[in-house]
Amino acid sequence: MPVLTEVLNLKMYINGDWVQAEDGKVNDIINPANGELIAKAPTGGLSETRQAIGAARRTFDSGEWSELPTVERAQYLRAIADKLDEKAEEIALLETLDQGKPLNESEIDVADAAACFRYYAGMITQPDGQTFHVADPMQAMVVREPVGVCALIVPWNFPLLMSVWKIAPALAAGNTIVFKPSEVTPVSAMKLFEILEEVGLPKGVANMVLGPGRVVGNELAESDLVDKVSFTGGTETGRNIMKAAAGNIKKISLELGGKSPNIVFADADIETAIDCTLIGIFFNQGEVCSAGSRLLLEESIHDEFIERLVERAQKIVVGQGKDRETEMGPLVSKQHLEKVLSYIEIGKQEGARLVCGGNRITENGFDKGYFVEPTIFVDTNPDMRIVQEEIFGPVLVVQKFKTEAEAIELANGTAFGLAAGVFTQDGAKGLRVIKKMRAGITWVNNYGPTYNEAPWGGYKQSGIGRGLGTFGLDEFMEVKQININLNVEPVGWYKN
Ligand code: NAD
């Protein structure tokens, strides 16, 4: 496995040029496993953001990309996927050093990213549009067109994958883009943009600006030259983006936070339920929007289930993501570590009972990184903040229920509605309960798998719109009605 031999010097990509911030400002990018500097990233501001928007606008209006035959756009997307595969080892390692996640999880992300480009390359060349039999002499049809300049803003938890979930459909649809990665994890994004350059994407089609959300992100959401903003991140930021986007009635898609319920009935296959509960909350250190962060357990199995769950959770190997035996890495940053630890304190003060973990790990050199033990709280009630608010770390809160109706009520009892899981061997009950979930992504007898083919997004305050699948492409397209008169002569409605 190659290791990083020097600090990376990141750049922004504007109109086909690699540039630093005009004022020379840089941001240190730290490996959250050991506090080492891995990269220096430019801190872009308003000027760079406006240049990127201008480049995307001019390129879109020129038609150079939007009017390219879809087979040709698809060739670019496939070439990008091939390059991602070629460089998978390097990019996965960088993702792990930047974000903290275990290497095998980064490897899955890179493979999924390549698959996503291929998926949209296939989709964009499929037959499209509709025709309607309307009254003679008219012929009515519908065609779909790109929205225009799209601002794509992503968080730090799956830096590469969240980027690709937006970039692939946006480019496939014929849009030009200004992309903003999280200021915490910009490394894999730069590798991706190097690939976009290598495959010869025309200048100005894809632009990348690095910098703080409240400056760069806000300008992208506000600018009258941007037609659409597609955002993934926290619910509060989503609210700000909605407001900022109101000026020119920009189209918006928001993929926001969650506090997703994972319901286990007494008749479930318990080993499967335990296994999936662990994946649901500890995969990616619990920094997953769709994490099953609330476990709802039927009362009759509660104690035994918790005993076995804790036993398994305590065996999860926490360590540096780059070490092959690691099963859970550090949290992404010191700031986020402090947030998660503060929620653990809140849980204790609220009277929830800690049955697993609850501490920062500091021995054996771990003190240089941001490691937290897999943590489980029981004896909670629905009013507690740890039950209602997104912690976004390896912290599971357990809720108890007696009846199916109570499980449904508890499950739907937060402001969020991103995901939900149900474990039962009664097929009818599984479907019955899932149909009652006010959530956009659901699983029966599993928790977590995602597919490029299936729409991703939430109900309630978990967002607006959907990523991935055909729905994900629709988000980046306008629909145009075309009505053609096949008998060109005056209609004669007005008599004189
Ligand atoms: P965040 O909202 O703080 O930041 C996300 C992005 O928005 C970053 O690039 C940031 O710079 C930018 N930003 C911040 N303030 C902005 C503003 N005022 N205007 C425009 N852009 C701004 O989120 P985060 O802490 O990076 O990520 C964690 C959050 O993301 C969690 O809430 C998680 O649930 C959510 N998330 C959701 C999904 C999903 O698909 N629903 C996926 C991943 C993460």
Side-chain angles (χ1 to χ4, degrees):
M1 176 57 58
V3 286
L4 206 56
T5 49
E6 58 186 28
V7 173
L8 297 169
N9 191 13
L10 307 187
K11 296 203 173 103
M12 297 184 276
Y13 192 66
I14 299 175
N15 201 28
D17 293 324
W18 292 101
V19 296
Q20 290 290 0
E22 281 172 6
D23 60 8
K25 268 199 202 151
V26 287
N27 177 24
D28 286 347
I29 306 300
I30 301 296
N31 178 348
N34 57 21
E36 279 173 12
L37 181 69
I38 57 166
K40 288 199 166 279
T43 307
L46 278 185
S47 168
E48 295 88 338
T49 310
R50 287 176 183 159
Q51 287 170 41
I53 294 171
R57 184 78 262 165
R58 285 191 302 279
T59 310
F60 182 79
D61 293 343
S62 76
E64 186 184 1
W65 180 250
S66 59
E67 292 169 16
L68 207 61
T70 52
V71 276
E72 289 182 38
R73 288 212 295 268
Q75 277 165 2
Y76 281 104
L77 298 190
R78 290 199 182 92
I80 296 166
D82 291 346
K83 291 268 178 197
L84 277 168
D85 284 344
E86 265 172 42
K87 299 179 184 209
E89 193 182 2
E90 180 198 358
I91 296 175
L93 178 65
L94 289 174
E95 190 79 323
T96 284
L97 297 180
D98 192 12
Q99 205 277 342
K101 63 176 73 192
L103 201 47
N104 62 339
E105 296 185 14
S106 293
E107 287 166 350
I108 295 170
D109 289 355
V110 183
D112 283 353
C116 188
F117 274 108
R118 290 197 181 95
Y119 173 72
Y120 282 110
M123 184 180 294
I124 200 64
T125 54
Q126 294 301 303
D128 192 26
Q130 297 171 331
T131 57
F132 305 106
H133 291 284
V134 294
D136 281 344
M138 297 301 293
Q139 171 66 59
M141 65 178 93
V142 161
V143 296
R144 299 199 307 157
E145 298 178 345
V147 174
V149 174
C150 297
L152 313 177
I153 304 173
V154 300
W156 47 252
N157 62 336
F158 290 85
L160 178 71
L161 199 57
M162 291 300 104
S163 312
V164 169
W165 282 12
K166 296 188 187 307
I167 293 173
L171 292 182
N175 300 285
T176 58
I177 62 168
V178 182
F179 166 74
K180 193 198 103 54
S182 165
E183 50 274 51
V184 185
T185 53
V187 176
S188 57
M190 195 177 113
K191 289 288 147 192
L192 177 62
F193 270 71
E194 284 175 5
I195 289 176
L196 300 186
E197 185 185 41
E198 280 171 36
V199 303
L201 207 65
K203 282 180 185 199
V205 171
N207 304 274
M208 174 174 65
V209 186
L210 309 181
R214 62 180 191 286
V215 180
V216 175
N218 187 63
E219 177 64 13
L220 290 173
E222 256 184 2
S223 170
D224 286 349
L225 299 178
V226 173
D227 301 295
K228 152 113 198 173
V229 58
S230 175
F231 168 78
T232 298
T235 295
E236 217 32 64
T237 316
R239 236 185 289 280
N240 289 333
I241 286 182
M242 264 182 114
K243 288 180 200 151
N248 66 337
I249 316 288
K250 218 172 255 93
K251 315 235 164 334
I252 50 173
S253 320
L254 305 174
E255 295 177 27
L256 307 177
K259 190 77 184 178
S260 300
N262 177 22
I263 308 172
V264 181
F265 286 98
D267 63 1
D269 180 303
I270 298 298
E271 283 312 312
T272 304
I274 289 175
D275 213 42
C276 296
T277 299
L278 293 169
I279 298 169
I281 186 60
F282 299 125
F283 189 83
N284 209 51
Q285 303 80 236
E287 296 163 330
V288 179
C289 53
S290 56
S293 51
R294 288 185 297 135
L295 172 64
L296 274 61
L297 276 181
E298 190 161 350
E299 194 172 39
S300 60
I301 55 164
H302 180 276
D303 295 355
E304 193 191 337
F305 193 100
I306 292 297
E307 196 179 314
R308 288 159 74 184
L309 184 72
V310 170
E311 208 177 282
R312 294 273 314 268
Q314 284 169 339
K315 288 187 186 145
I316 290 175
V317 181
V318 181
Q320 298 216 15
K322 71 178 175 53
D323 297 335
R324 278 290 173 191
E325 64 275 16
T326 292
E327 294 177 316
M328 197 178 93
L331 295 179
V332 75
S333 66
K334 184 158 183 290
Q335 193 190 7
H336 192 56
L337 169 80
E338 283 161 6
K339 177 184 161 187
V340 171
L341 291 175
S342 81
Y343 268 111
I344 293 174
E345 274 316 302
I346 289 169
K348 290 186 207 162
Q349 280 160 22
E350 289 180 316
R353 184 160 59 90
L354 199 54
V355 289
C356 182
N359 302 299
R360 180 177 180 184
I361 310 174
T362 50
E363 61 273 15
N364 302 327
F366 276 53
D367 59 325
K368 297 197 179 69
Y370 313 128
F371 298 91
V372 171
E373 294 169 336
T375 295
I376 303 176
F377 278 108
V378 297
D379 297 346
T380 64
N381 71 56
D383 298 331
M384 290 177 174
R385 285 183 61 193
I386 59 163
V387 175
Q388 291 297 326
E389 297 174 18
E390 185 184 46
I391 300 174
F392 217 56
V395 181
L396 180 68
V397 298
V398 183
Q399 298 177 270
K400 230 186 263 183
F401 66 87
K402 284 200 181 82
T403 63
E404 187 178 315
E406 192 190 357
I408 291 166
E409 193 186 336
L410 286 173
N412 286 330
T414 73
F416 299 107
L418 189 56
V422 175
F423 288 81
T424 171
Q425 298 203 63
D426 175 343
K429 178 157 71 176
L431 185 55
R432 201 161 62 225
V433 174
I434 281 295
K435 287 187 75 175
K436 292 282 185 194
M437 291 297 101
R438 301 280 300 150
I441 309 152
T442 64
W443 298 277
V444 179
N445 293 325
N446 204 338
Y447 201 99
T450 65
Y451 306 98
N452 284 321
E453 296 85 344
W456 185 267
Y459 285 28
K460 303 197 289 186
Q461 292 186 31
S462 288
I464 296 176
R466 294 292 181 271
L468 297 179
T470 54
F471 299 87
L473 189 67
D474 291 347
E475 296 280 338
F476 290 106
M477 302 198 96
E478 288 279 20
V479 171
K480 180 179 283 174
Q481 182 185 137
I482 301 177
N483 299 296
I484 304 168
N485 188 348
L486 302 179
N487 189 9
V488 184
E489 60 182 28
V491 177
W493 181 265
Y494 298 106
K495 303 303 170 216
N496 299 301

